[in-house]
Amino acid sequence: MELNTPEEIRKEVTPSRKELTNKVVFEPIASGGKTVYTPTSIVSKKEQFRGVWITTVRNNDFPSTSVYENGFNVEQFKQEFLAILKRCKELKLNAIFFQVRPEGDAFYESGVNPWSVYLTGEQGVKPNWGEFDPLAWMINATHHVGIEFHAWFNPFRLTPTGPSDSTKESLLRTLSDTHYARRHPDWVYYFNRQIYLNPGIPAVREFIVQTVMEVTEKYEIDAVHFDDFFYPYSYQVEENGVIKVISFADESPDYQTYETYHLPHQTIFQWRESNINEVIRTLSEAISEYNRLAKKSVAFGISPFGIWASAEETGGIGSQTSPNQLSSLSEFVNSKLWIDEQWIDYIVPQNYWSFIDPLSTFADVSDWWNKIVINSKTQLYMGIGLYLYNEDAQNPAWQNKEEIVNQIRYLSHLDHVDGYAFFTYHNLLISHHHLPGQEVLNQAIVSLENEVLTNYALIPSRPWLQQGETFPVSQLKVTPCDEGCVLVQFEDMPENYSEYYVIYRAPKSSQRDVIDFNDAASILDVVGKNKKSLIQHYTDSSANPNQTYTYAVSALSQAQVESDPVSVVYVP
């Protein structure tokens, strides 16, 4: 089945509408030896980021290997992705982080990176799919249903974990002949059975910026997204029955590079941190310049390890977490600096701990980040570890179906938290497979659906990225459909600085001022702009065409700046 028009895609993925209300009562929750207070239910915010990571490495979330095992099946690829969008709409999510570069490869045709093995089945080989552009199609489909598409890049990781006898040379041989690492093997280091591009090489840093900007300039993405993989994390080995932790600093496979490039009096720790900072700063400037010249509003966001550093390690600056807990600063990643310097538009700390974690509680980590973003343009979205219901199923915290709901309740009363994102997509699916913790996860998902994700929300606006004025739509009219639905129709000039539309609806009223535009419950849907047409259409299949409604429509820019709404009363 071909699904190419905005209307066809929306019909395929749009769920039925549920009308729910919430009441707010606070209750105490034990957290790390103290008590915190969190609402038992949530009043939906009109502006709240709600994202999910779509992981492509090892085909974890998408696509299934059957898409390419017997020749690339374009229709199956499309149907699997549309199923993801449909689930996102059911959960009223408004953004996806899609992994476009999992291991130095590409889910798009690139001049500098080979085709991904997780897309085509063989790295560097393009399937015989004619003019099909998978990334362009996915972006268009995502936008049609009113969801942001954040292109997620892993900048330095090149391979999965190899066998125990692997070497740098053996792992390099697994890459395609055209791979950047095969052409520059001296710019690659080996650590813990994986290979990585060396960020200490200036040409490597330039290549990463080039890689990201190629996608930014070629595709209609809404944001560039990095996760927490910069320098690799420590690993454990057993020696004579004793577990030993080996850190990157212990092996220092980049020491010779340090000797070549470090500044006078710069320690290797400072040098490594400056290498990462240089990539972030340079890329931030490149995206800003592109936005200025192209009149775009592409955001730049990062999802670092959840703990920057403990207060004990940093003279009281860090979080109230144990110094024995791993921190990003100890891994040469100064995520706080990126906020202080305003290099990034949003940050999504991976706060993958419970309220009762002995070293770092969800509440303590959240409180610290909530304080750090004060007076910064950087928006704070919290990373939620939904996957832990499966991967840490023996932990009492993750045997509680309310853990994740309680975390979101807690976030709801922190003034500077602008939303949250779930890791990872497949953990948002009800499953009857007998995986560890799956039964509790299923119950947690139902709680999310019924108690938290009850209304649509708009992504918090990023006005500093706005490059033009977003004008209201015009000629709004609402008419009954032949299929027992209601058709909302309006006009929007192609040159208007608009990307999406917010559809509002209030039932059983003939008063135009009845819609509360600050109330998330008034939002019927958010949809994308058909840039090929002056006239825009939206089909309200949940309406009773024999009932009176007040409708309103506003335009949203790529920076999520909303125009004034235009309203009309529908009388059958």
Side-chain angles (χ1 to χ4, degrees):
M1 176 176 57
E2 289 286 344
L3 292 169
N4 296 311
T5 69
E7 290 74 18
E8 288 172 336
I9 291 174
R10 287 177 198 151
K11 184 176 181 181
E12 180 72 11
V13 305
T14 301
S16 60
R17 180 170 169 82
K18 292 190 293 186
E19 305 287 350
L20 297 170
T21 57
N22 295 307
K23 296 181 180 180
V24 181
V25 178
F26 283 83
E27 69 175 4
I29 291 180
S31 176
K34 63 182 180 181
T35 299
V36 298
Y37 288 87
T38 189
T40 59
S41 60
I42 299 172
V43 174
S44 298
K45 297 179 180 179
K46 181 185 176 182
E47 291 194 356
Q48 184 177 68
F49 186 94
R50 299 176 187 165
V52 63
W53 281 273
I54 312 296
T55 309
T56 60
V57 68
R58 298 181 297 278
N59 301 100
N60 195 35
D61 287 325
F62 172 83
S64 67
T65 56
S66 61
V67 164
Y68 54 73
E69 284 175 334
N70 297 303
F72 196 88
N73 189 325
V74 172
E75 286 308 307
Q76 183 181 346
F77 176 90
K78 289 182 176 181
Q79 289 303 318
E80 287 187 9
F81 189 74
L82 289 175
I84 290 175
L85 294 183
K86 183 174 183 178
R87 183 58 175 156
C88 290
K89 290 294 283 189
E90 287 174 348
L91 296 172
K92 298 177 174 59
L93 307 183
N94 50 31
I96 62 172
F97 306 122
F98 186 90
Q99 195 172 29
V100 300
R101 188 179 188 267
E103 289 175 342
D105 48 11
F107 265 63
Y108 51 92
E109 188 150 27
S110 170
V112 293
N113 292 287
W115 286 102
S116 174
V117 63
Y118 305 115
L119 174 66
T120 70
E122 183 177 355
Q123 190 179 79
V125 175
K126 179 181 180 179
N128 183 22
W129 55 32
E131 298 301 315
F132 180 60
D133 185 328
L135 184 55
W137 184 87
M138 287 188 292
I139 292 171
N140 289 335
T142 304
H143 287 166
H144 285 330
V145 296
I147 295 175
E148 277 196 337
F149 191 102
H150 296 225
W152 167 18
F153 298 82
N154 290 90
F156 304 113
R157 184 183 65 200
L158 299 178
T159 61
T161 302
S164 58
D165 61 348
S166 65
T167 63
K168 172 181 172 179
E169 289 71 25
S170 68
L171 294 179
L172 279 170
R173 287 194 295 270
T174 67
L175 304 178
S176 69
D177 292 341
T178 60
H179 198 291
Y180 185 79
R182 290 287 295 271
R183 291 183 281 120
H184 302 285
D186 292 342
W187 297 351
V188 173
Y189 63 76
Y190 174 90
F191 180 77
N192 188 24
R193 296 187 290 161
Q194 289 181 278
I195 54 175
Y196 302 81
L197 289 176
N198 187 344
I201 304 290
V204 167
R205 298 195 296 269
E206 293 172 5
F207 172 71
I208 296 305
V209 174
Q210 178 189 11
T211 289
V212 173
M213 293 311 298
E214 177 188 43
V215 174
T216 303
E217 294 168 3
K218 182 178 178 181
Y219 292 98
E220 296 290 324
I221 62 172
D222 297 296
V224 168
H225 183 79
F226 282 0
D227 60 17
D228 60 316
F229 282 97
F230 295 100
Y231 284 97
Y233 291 109
S234 303
Y235 67 98
Q236 294 181 341
V237 295
E238 184 176 342
E239 294 182 357
N240 301 319
V242 177
I243 299 298
K244 182 179 179 181
V245 177
I246 307 295
S247 71
F248 186 78
D250 292 330
E251 294 191 359
S252 291
D254 60 344
Y255 186 78
Q256 188 57 51
T257 312
Y258 164 73
E259 287 288 284
T260 302
Y261 290 106
H262 78 276
L263 299 176
H265 310 297
Q266 190 178 39
T267 68
I268 194 168
F269 188 105
Q270 293 168 333
W271 173 76
R272 287 174 181 148
E273 182 184 308
S274 71
N275 293 335
I276 304 304
N277 289 338
E278 182 67 13
V279 171
I280 304 307
R281 181 190 64 80
T282 305
L283 185 54
S284 175
E285 292 174 354
I287 295 172
S288 295
E289 180 67 4
Y290 168 75
N291 283 338
R292 184 183 68 83
L293 295 175
K295 302 299 181 185
K296 296 289 186 179
S297 303
V298 178
F300 181 29
I302 302 180
S303 178
F305 187 76
I307 296 173
W308 174 71
S310 71
E312 185 173 328
E313 297 171 286
T314 55
I317 299 174
S319 54
Q320 297 299 317
T321 51
S322 170
N324 297 320
Q325 171 67 64
L326 180 71
S327 68
S328 64
L329 197 59
S330 66
E331 302 296 317
F332 323 110
V333 175
N334 193 347
S335 48
K336 179 179 178 295
L337 178 71
W338 308 338
I339 295 172
D340 294 341
E341 296 293 333
Q342 302 195 64
W343 291 338
I344 56 177
D345 300 297
Y346 68 83
I347 194 163
V348 196
Q350 296 178 20
N351 192 351
Y352 299 161
W353 295 278
S354 70
F355 280 106
I356 60 173
D357 189 274
L359 297 181
S360 47
T361 73
F362 180 86
D364 285 335
V365 174
S366 299
D367 290 347
W368 186 82
W369 285 105
N370 185 61
K371 177 182 66 175
I372 290 302
V373 297
I374 295 175
N375 300 323
S376 170
K377 76 170 186 183
T378 304
Q379 294 177 338
L380 171 60
Y381 319 141
M382 201 64 66
I384 303 290
L386 197 62
Y387 75 101
L388 291 166
Y389 277 107
N390 291 138
E391 294 200 12
D392 199 14
Q394 300 305 311
N395 186 327
W398 301 108
Q399 295 171 7
N400 174 16
K401 72 180 182 68
E402 293 298 311
E403 175 67 28
I404 287 294
V405 171
N406 284 338
Q407 290 186 5
I408 296 176
R409 290 170 180 156
Y410 187 79
L411 296 176
S412 70
H413 80 277
L414 298 181
D415 292 340
H416 305 289
V417 177
D418 291 312
Y420 45 86
F422 298 105
F423 188 84
T424 178
Y425 170 75
H426 72 264
N427 299 114
L428 285 170
L429 302 175
I430 299 288
S431 173
H432 299 293
H433 294 132
H434 298 294
L435 299 173
Q438 189 62 48
E439 182 177 349
V440 180
L441 174 57
N442 288 345
Q443 296 170 358
I445 294 170
V446 171
S447 295
L448 281 173
E449 292 177 323
N450 293 334
E451 301 174 37
V452 179
L453 303 170
T454 57
N455 294 299
Y456 285 108
L458 307 185
I459 291 174
S461 62
R462 309 174 187 117
W464 60 90
L465 295 178
Q466 182 85 344
Q467 301 291 334
E469 187 170 356
T470 302
F471 296 99
V473 302
S474 61
Q475 305 300 317
L476 174 63
K477 63 180 181 180
V478 182
T479 56
C481 305
D482 294 336
E483 298 83 8
C485 55
V486 170
L487 178 66
V488 181
Q489 182 174 298
F490 52 94
E491 294 183 4
D492 188 25
M493 298 299 294
E495 61 269 23
N496 191 15
Y497 198 70
S498 56
E499 295 288 335
Y500 308 96
Y501 304 107
V502 187
I503 313 296
Y504 297 91
R505 188 185 74 187
K508 300 178 182 178
S509 175
S510 59
Q511 302 297 318
R512 292 196 180 201
D513 60 356
V514 73
I515 296 179
D516 182 353
F517 293 106
N518 295 315
D519 184 359
S522 299
I523 300 175
L524 174 64
D525 206 347
V526 180
V527 297
K529 179 178 184 177
N530 181 355
K531 297 183 179 180
K532 297 179 180 180
S533 176
L534 169 67
I535 300 175
Q536 307 288 324
H537 301 90
Y538 175 79
T539 300
D540 183 2
S541 57
S542 66
N544 180 351
N546 299 314
Q547 180 176 317
T548 299
Y549 297 95
T550 299
Y551 284 89
V553 177
S554 63
L556 275 179
S557 71
Q558 187 182 35
Q560 297 292 329
V561 173
E562 186 178 13
S563 75
D564 291 333
V566 175
S567 61
V568 68
V569 176
Y570 167 76
V571 179

